[in-house]
Amino acid sequence: MAEKDYLVRGTAWNGTLRVFAVKTTVLVEELRNRHNTLPTTTAALGRTATAGAMMGAMLKGKEKLTIQVKGDGPAGQIVVDANASGEVRGYVDNPQVQLPSNALGKLDVAGVVGRSGYIHIIKDLGLKEPYRGSVPIVSGELAEDFTYYFATSEQTPSVVGLSVLVDEYGNVMNAGGFIVQVLPGITEEDITRLEQAIGSLPPISALFEQGETPESLLRLVVGDDLQLMDELSIVFECQCSKERVERTLISMGESELKLLIDEDGQAEVVCHFCNESYVFDTPQLEMLLDQAKPKPIQ
């Protein structure tokens, strides 16, 4: 049976914890393939996409969010879109960045992301104005940065764990993570117990290697007092289409389209998120030009 990505969510410790865990191996490998990322950049994009999958699961209905990681590292900007249906897409400005392992012998994610800059979260909640939250990058390793985001921007003390493991050829072996959020009513003793449990947790990638699942990962953190609410499939999904690209070209206006026809004779538009290429030849551009011309008032 082919591996599939999924997320579980629930509560623990008499409703004083809200918990999420996710496996994103297929998603991160899809991103690696589409953008041809090198291992360190795969890890940076994959960790951001994993966080995005869990943050998307915190939304409802048709709500969606965008994560922008704008660090001062050589990878440039990382952008991830996610929604409440488990659909995720993402890209990194410079996918071909690779750095030597860090002092711990691990992929130097902070090196490619950068150790200063900002993380911006934009949520489309169906209101007139989107919600925007921004926090400075505190480590560049990303899990700590999202932990800081929840504490400062959403006032929800949280622990975020994110992991991407690649093999010697750069293929994604496993990817996933968890978010544990502390809710009102928790005792000091329970906070200490939670800190100890997370502090003694082996690396997430090692646990997935041993066959642990999102459910068993959460049980390792919170014990057996875990009430799972539901499961959500996580999939790569891009909203681009030829029709959308056509509308964009038409919106450029008559003079811009004429210029494209006269100078290039064709147009190629590549989607940032999925790397899909849309090519329009001269006859197709002339049809779009016709639609771009102002219509006479009847």
Side-chain angles (χ1 to χ4, degrees):
M1 193 178 80
E3 185 176 12
K4 76 177 184 84
D5 289 339
Y6 70 99
L7 172 147
V8 292
R9 54 189 155 190
T11 60
W13 299 3
N14 297 320
T16 58
L17 296 179
R18 182 167 53 199
V19 294
F20 302 81
V22 68
K23 192 97 183 271
T24 53
T25 310
V26 179
L27 168 68
V28 179
E29 176 65 3
E30 174 96 19
L31 291 170
R32 182 191 76 81
N33 271 319
R34 284 183 176 271
H35 299 295
N36 198 21
T37 51
L38 293 176
T40 316
T41 324
T42 301
L45 177 58
R47 287 183 192 180
T48 309
T50 299
M54 291 188 281
M55 292 170 75
M58 297 174 187
L59 304 174
K60 299 180 183 72
K62 299 221 177 306
E63 296 173 354
K64 55 191 177 185
L65 61 81
T66 299
I67 298 169
Q68 298 171 338
V69 179
K70 294 187 172 182
D72 61 352
Q77 178 178 231
I78 300 169
V79 179
V80 166
D81 280 354
N83 62 26
S85 306
E87 297 170 342
V88 184
R89 61 180 188 166
Y91 69 88
V92 55
D93 279 350
N94 303 313
Q96 293 282 299
V97 174
Q98 176 63 9
L99 294 179
S101 298
N102 62 21
L104 299 171
K106 297 187 182 307
L107 292 170
D108 188 5
V109 172
V112 297
V113 169
R115 290 174 177 82
S116 66
Y118 285 88
I119 292 182
H120 304 290
I121 311 287
I122 301 122
K123 292 184 188 177
D124 179 354
L125 305 175
L127 307 170
K128 209 153 58 175
E129 287 294 317
Y131 160 88
R132 293 174 185 273
S134 294
V135 292
I137 288 171
V138 291
S139 86
E141 290 289 338
L142 296 173
E144 295 92 330
D145 302 293
F146 286 106
T147 296
Y148 186 70
Y149 164 78
F150 282 115
T152 55
S153 202
E154 299 198 1
Q155 285 78 51
T156 309
S158 307
V159 181
V160 181
L162 303 169
S163 175
V164 175
L165 180 70
V166 298
D167 66 15
E168 60 190 302
Y169 306 107
N171 303 309
V172 179
M173 301 288 289
N174 66 62
F178 67 84
I179 297 176
V180 176
Q181 299 193 310
V182 175
L183 302 178
I186 194 164
T187 64
E188 284 299 323
E189 290 86 347
D190 278 347
I191 288 175
T192 304
R193 180 157 65 112
L194 180 64
E195 286 170 346
Q196 287 169 347
I198 288 170
S200 63
L201 200 67
I204 298 168
S205 57
L207 293 170
F208 281 146
E209 277 294 276
Q210 292 160 21
E212 299 290 355
T213 62
E215 297 92 327
S216 64
L217 176 60
L218 286 179
R219 287 198 177 89
L220 287 171
V221 177
V222 301
D224 290 329
D225 179 17
L226 173 66
Q227 288 79 47
L228 288 174
M229 295 190 309
D230 59 356
E231 184 181 303
L232 178 68
S233 290
I234 301 297
V235 295
F236 174 88
E237 184 68 44
C238 193
Q239 285 80 43
C240 75
S241 66
K242 186 141 190 169
E243 291 70 28
R244 280 193 171 200
V245 177
E246 284 175 355
R247 288 200 295 273
T248 304
L249 288 169
I250 291 167
S251 72
M252 285 165 54
E254 215 180 329
S255 56
E256 286 288 325
L257 280 170
K258 273 183 179 161
L259 206 62
L260 272 178
I261 293 165
D262 295 343
E263 289 192 355
D264 301 324
Q266 66 159 29
E268 182 183 12
V269 179
V270 178
C271 173
H272 265 321
F273 282 101
C274 66
N275 245 355
E276 199 69 50
S277 170
Y278 297 92
V279 178
F280 297 83
D281 59 19
T282 299
Q284 289 170 315
L285 287 173
E286 284 169 344
M287 281 171 63
L288 298 178
L289 174 63
D290 203 43
Q291 293 177 58
K293 287 175 180 170
K295 303 289 180 281
I297 298 166
Q298 299 295 325

